[in-house]
Amino acid sequence: MTATAPRIHVLDPRLANQIAAGEVVERPSSVTKELIENAIDAGSQRIEVEIEQGGTRLIKVRDDGIGIGEEDLPLALARHATSKIGSLEDLEGVSSLGFRGEALASISSVARLELISNAEEDPRHGWRVVAEGRGMEARVTPAPHPRGTSVGVRDLFFNTPARRKFLRTEKTEFAHVEEAFRRQALSRYDIAWVLRHNQKVIHQLPSGHSAAARERRITSLLGKKFIEHARYIEREAGGLRLSGWVGLPTHSRSQADQQYFFVNGRVVRDRLVAHAVRQAYRDVLFNGRHPVFVLYLELDPDVVDVNVHPTKHEVRFRDGRMVHDFLYSSLHHSLASAKPAETPGEGGGEVADTSGALAQGAASEANAEQPRWQQQGIALTHSPDRHPGAERVRRFMQGYQALHPNHEETLLTPQTSAPGERGSEVREAPLSMPDNDPTAPPPLGFALGQLHGIYILAQNAEGLVLVDMHAAHERIVYERMKTQLAAAKGLDAQPLLVPVSIAASRAEVATAESEQEAIAKLGIELDVAGPETLLVRQLPALLSQADPEALVRQMLEELARYGRTHQVEARLHELLSTMACHGSVRANRRLTIDEMNALLRDMERTERSDQCNHGRPTWTQMGLKALDRLFLRGQ
């Protein structure tokens, strides 16, 4: 028998809505997100979210926004109905969160939905509309309600059991709901938020515009350690503005669960953004760890397209290369300027790290007493008169200067030792002391001695400083070598004896042709030998042993996607890191007091000196209060 082609027909409205629901309604958390976004767009000052049984039984969002009038209420549940866009121009420059006009229609097709709203000040007014997964016309009935809107969604997927069975446990589903709530609460500090689960208050967040209020909210949502180990950044260039908090590399996590990035108030997960962040943390993060951040990017809505995905999680920038480079350079500079000697006001208005590297409890507790914005680096924050033992520190510093009035510090340099010698050669330079008070200790203090030939013990105003001397010197040498490399006019290149032929796609060939200047600056000579063939004729001398094909392919991929390649730079830095490791002071080498102090001063002057090249911490601090508690002093 000959098969008969099925006839084309218009889908039943209910079925069409259920198909649309598959795009925007994945689980209770996606329903929560859509309802909250509508509440934000309504100009709400307070939003309450009530959840039962992880959201499978009830999701209720109540706001005090502008509300919906009686005549508009039936359209609120209609597909392709919205008050947020009216023309193509509106869509191209959309600034609202929910604008597709599909969310409520989709939700109502797979759940029992009740919407009550009042657009007037009189709470005796108000109207209700109900839908229960059927393609019926919405009926509007009177229902008293304060100004604003309440949306209740019950029995999610009650009429689509195949989808309901894919839901996880109540605990898991609520964890997703809480994460959706957390993202929205971090997007708007001017809104008060409440989250309840099974009648229990989980989060109650007051609104606030001050810096202290914003930090209190972040602490409530992400924990005290996040804000203690993060630094504030605020940069603006070329119509782009980036602000927020970036975590220090020493406060990383095993998974990427505390990474929040907002574009014009909308939380997004974007590959371009992720790549820029990953590159910024490249040589300060321990292998397998993930950075933490809460960042806000603001730009003209006309240059970003938020209409590229049904869930609106992804965006497309008109000039992705510029955005990528702006994010990378801003974060890279912020992380580079995190060093023990930093004070507020340096580094483009960023707030200094209050924790140093892995600062312990006593310093954190003391810092918590002050507004974040007024805190300085650990060794510079507190008055020496704050603790009885601080006077001993002051006397020690005065005595040290009296004993060494013409002291010359010795700076360790990454020269290769002769056979049989231990460690590196030294050279001399004047000791650098604070200008404002010659008796005040530097941030990392002064060396007391060595522990097992591995750690330097030093004393500063806070108490005890412990330094991994090899890790610290490795970073110092590495940064010097990178600076020398960057200062060179170009990378030394080495021609290949036999050019390497690469079978390339037409897109790769086009990138090679359009980015010839950028490729040449990297010390690579790449010729187009045909429509699908490339020839590698030379490589950077330091990478002469690299696989030319793998290196070129990765480089071309980055150039095509992000507009600049970090691949060659990354490979060169890996090589420099290895060289720096071999050129640094080794464990079990005995250093003189002068050499130890030289190393401490170098750390204070070196970018990224809180971590070694592999992301491990180089130093830690134990305050006098913590030491007193350890020995039960004053108790």
Side-chain angles (χ1 to χ4, degrees), residues 120-143:
E120 302 179 27
E121 295 295 339
D122 190 339
R124 293 174 297 179
H125 297 156
W127 301 90
R128 173 193 288 112
V129 63
V130 177
E132 295 187 357
R134 298 189 297 272
M136 56 182 288
E137 184 176 346
R139 291 184 298 106
V140 178
T141 57

Side-chain angles (χ1 to χ4, degrees), residues 28 32 36 46-63 150 170 173-175 177-178 181-182 192-205 221:
T32 306
I36 289 178
R46 180 180 176 87
I47 298 175
E48 299 183 16
V49 180
E50 186 174 344
I51 305 294
E52 292 184 10
Q53 294 182 9
T56 57
R57 181 177 179 181
L58 173 67
I59 303 167
K60 186 175 183 179
V61 176
R62 180 169 182 166
D63 67 62
S150 294
E170 177 180 329
E173 292 301 336
F174 179 71
V177 169
E178 186 178 16
F181 174 89
R182 185 180 293 113
W193 300 81
V194 178
L195 174 64
R196 300 185 186 89
H197 185 217
N198 296 334
Q199 289 80 52
K200 179 182 178 182
V201 175
I202 307 299
H203 293 291
Q204 187 159 350
L205 310 171
L221 295 171

Side-chain angles (χ1 to χ4, degrees), residues 37 40 97 179-189 193 218 221-222 241-245 258-270 273 293-299 304 306 313 315 317 327:
E37 286 183 345
I40 293 175
L97 298 177
E179 179 61 19
F181 174 89
R182 185 180 293 113
R183 292 172 182 167
Q184 301 298 338
L186 287 172
S187 73
R188 293 290 297 271
Y189 296 91
W193 300 81
I218 290 180
L221 295 171
L222 301 181
R241 182 178 184 273
L242 182 69
S243 61
W245 292 263
Q258 287 196 357
Q259 298 183 349
Y260 300 91
F261 193 88
F262 301 84
V263 176
N264 290 345
R266 180 191 305 279
V267 62
V268 301
R269 295 191 297 266
D270 186 84
V273 170
F293 53 84
V294 178
L295 292 169
Y296 303 87
L297 177 66
E298 298 173 39
L299 70 168
V304 58
V306 299
H313 279 313
V315 295
F317 299 102
L327 295 176

Side-chain angles (χ1 to χ4, degrees), residues 249-532:
T250 46
H251 182 61
S252 57
R253 297 177 67 85
S254 59
Q255 54 187 348
D257 60 342
Q258 287 196 357
Q259 298 183 349
Y260 300 91
F261 193 88
F262 301 84
V263 176
N264 290 345
R266 180 191 305 279
V267 62
V268 301
R269 295 191 297 266
D270 186 84
R271 286 183 296 176
L272 181 144
V273 170
H275 185 271
V277 172
R278 189 165 59 249
Q279 291 298 320
Y281 276 90
R282 184 177 57 212
D283 66 356
V284 293
L285 202 63
F286 195 68
N287 186 39
R289 303 291 293 182
H290 299 271
V292 299
F293 53 84
V294 178
L295 292 169
Y296 303 87
L297 177 66
E298 298 173 39
L299 70 168
D300 188 339
D302 291 336
V303 300
V304 58
D305 183 6
V306 299
N307 196 32
V308 297
H309 193 274
T311 62
K312 303 184 288 293
H313 279 313
E314 299 177 11
V315 295
R316 181 184 296 116
F317 299 102
R318 179 177 297 175
D319 191 343
R321 296 184 176 189
M322 181 180 70
V323 173
H324 180 278
D325 287 353
F326 172 70
L327 295 176
Y328 168 76
S329 62
S330 298
L331 296 176
H332 181 76
H333 183 275
S334 176
L335 295 170
S337 61
K339 51 188 177 182
E342 183 184 27
T343 58
E346 297 179 353
E350 297 155 5
V351 173
D353 165 34
T354 63
S355 58
L358 295 183
Q360 301 301 314
S364 298
E365 291 170 8
N367 277 344
E369 299 171 7
Q370 306 178 42
R372 168 80 175 179
W373 309 101
Q374 298 174 7
Q375 294 173 18
Q376 303 184 8
I378 268 192
L380 305 177
T381 302
H382 310 298
S383 166
D385 300 328
R386 227 168 164 188
H387 189 278
E391 183 57 33
R392 299 195 301 271
V393 176
R394 183 190 295 277
R395 289 199 300 269
F396 171 82
M397 297 306 167
Q398 292 171 337
Y400 188 94
Q401 283 240 288
L403 289 171
H404 303 278
N406 300 311
H407 179 79
E408 296 282 310
E409 74 167 332
T410 52
L411 298 178
L412 296 164
T413 58
Q415 301 177 6
T416 304
S417 302
E421 292 183 353
R422 302 179 63 193
S424 306
E425 301 294 338
V426 298
R427 61 183 175 86
E428 294 187 352
L431 175 67
S432 174
M433 290 293 291
D435 296 329
N436 56 346
D437 184 357
T439 65
L444 291 178
F446 289 103
L448 301 174
Q450 271 183 292
L451 181 64
H452 289 292
I454 300 173
Y455 301 103
I456 294 174
L457 279 68
Q459 174 174 275
N460 69 356
E462 291 295 325
L464 177 67
V465 174
L466 192 62
V467 176
D468 182 331
M469 67 182 195
H470 172 71
H473 195 231
E474 185 178 343
R475 168 60 72 178
I476 293 167
V477 174
Y478 179 42
E479 292 297 327
R480 286 177 179 170
M481 295 176 73
K482 286 199 300 182
T483 300
Q484 293 169 5
L485 179 66
K489 293 182 179 179
L491 297 179
D492 291 335
Q494 178 175 316
L496 301 180
L497 292 175
V498 179
V500 176
S501 177
I502 300 177
S505 67
R506 292 183 180 272
E508 288 174 325
V509 171
T511 301
E513 289 180 324
S514 63
E515 301 289 348
Q516 278 188 346
E517 183 178 352
I519 294 170
K521 286 181 179 178
L522 296 170
I524 296 176
E525 184 178 338
L526 188 63
D527 290 343
V528 177
E532 295 182 347

